Amino acid sequence: MIYLDIQNNSAVKRIYNSKTLTDLAERVCRGEGLRKEVELSLLFCDDLFIQELNGRYRNKHEPTDVLAFEQEAPLHTDRRLLGDIVISLETVERAARGDRAAMRQEVLLLFCHGLLHLLGYDHHKAADRKQMQEKQARYLEIEFEKVWH
């Protein structure tokens, strides 16, 4: 079971579906072999907020589309605490040129990408990047060529 806490602090509204995101998280976690209950949070924000985080934690003073932060699990819990995913809906809106259907697809892709980071994947090397892209395509049930993150 997935416990997903979603907050939207962005001015962009009605761009995601909680059930769709939870179902995707369950599909990814099951596919990655997680058998215990999982908890994570998702924050939708604006460019200014994500730029501040990007500067503080990655020393990159520019907005980005998604960030993922692993969390330490508290002692004596039956749940695995994965961490936090932060997505800038302003960046999503700009990338999709305001097309709301494209924005919804981008949110799913970014959420999946962030979740894979929380599960230990990265894309620093070409082989690792390809592996992440293949997993994103499989979990999102899209063609590999449509995965650009």
Side-chain angles (χ1 to χ4, degrees):
M1 170 165 266
I2 301 291
Y3 295 91
L4 177 59
D5 178 39
I6 303 173
Q7 292 184 35
N8 185 353
N9 294 345
S10 167
V12 179
K13 303 296 182 195
R14 298 182 186 195
I15 214 64
Y16 68 90
N17 178 290
S18 299
K19 181 173 179 354
T20 302
L21 290 166
T22 301
D23 289 347
L24 175 57
E26 287 180 354
R27 191 164 52 248
V28 171
C29 289
R30 248 190 339 269
E32 295 302 311
L34 274 78
R35 300 291 176 238
K36 66 189 302 189
E37 293 178 339
V38 172
E39 183 176 347
L40 70 151
S41 69
L42 172 60
L43 173 66
F44 293 110
C45 65
D46 60 19
D47 280 350
L48 182 60
F49 185 82
I50 208 164
Q51 180 174 331
E52 289 173 12
L53 292 177
N54 207 21
R56 183 180 311 148
Y57 295 103
R58 297 179 65 225
N59 205 27
K60 295 184 179 187
H61 301 281
E62 60 192 15
T64 188
D65 48 10
V66 62
L67 293 171
F69 300 96
E70 293 181 45
Q71 299 291 326
E72 292 290 324
L75 297 176
H76 311 296
T77 181
D78 293 334
R79 294 184 196 166
R80 178 172 174 190
L81 180 61
L82 291 180
D84 307 311
I85 299 171
V86 182
I87 296 174
S88 172
L89 289 182
E90 274 187 289
T91 298
V92 168
E93 186 173 42
R94 196 169 42 259
R97 296 186 175 102
D99 178 321
R100 295 193 59 89
M103 289 172 68
R104 286 183 183 92
Q105 287 304 115
E106 181 72 359
V107 163
L108 291 175
L109 179 64
L110 293 172
F111 178 68
C112 184
H113 185 88
L115 182 52
L116 287 171
H117 275 304
L118 294 179
L119 293 171
Y121 292 94
D122 68 48
H123 45 77
H124 298 297
K125 298 176 185 170
D128 295 335
R129 183 171 41 257
K130 184 178 182 205
Q131 180 186 35
M132 266 189 91
Q133 290 170 325
E134 287 171 346
K135 286 181 177 290
Q136 288 171 186
R138 183 175 69 226
Y139 293 130
L140 292 166
E141 300 173 337
I142 59 175
E143 298 173 24
F144 178 80
E145 293 76 25
K146 294 185 178 181
V147 179
W148 55 93
H149 294 277

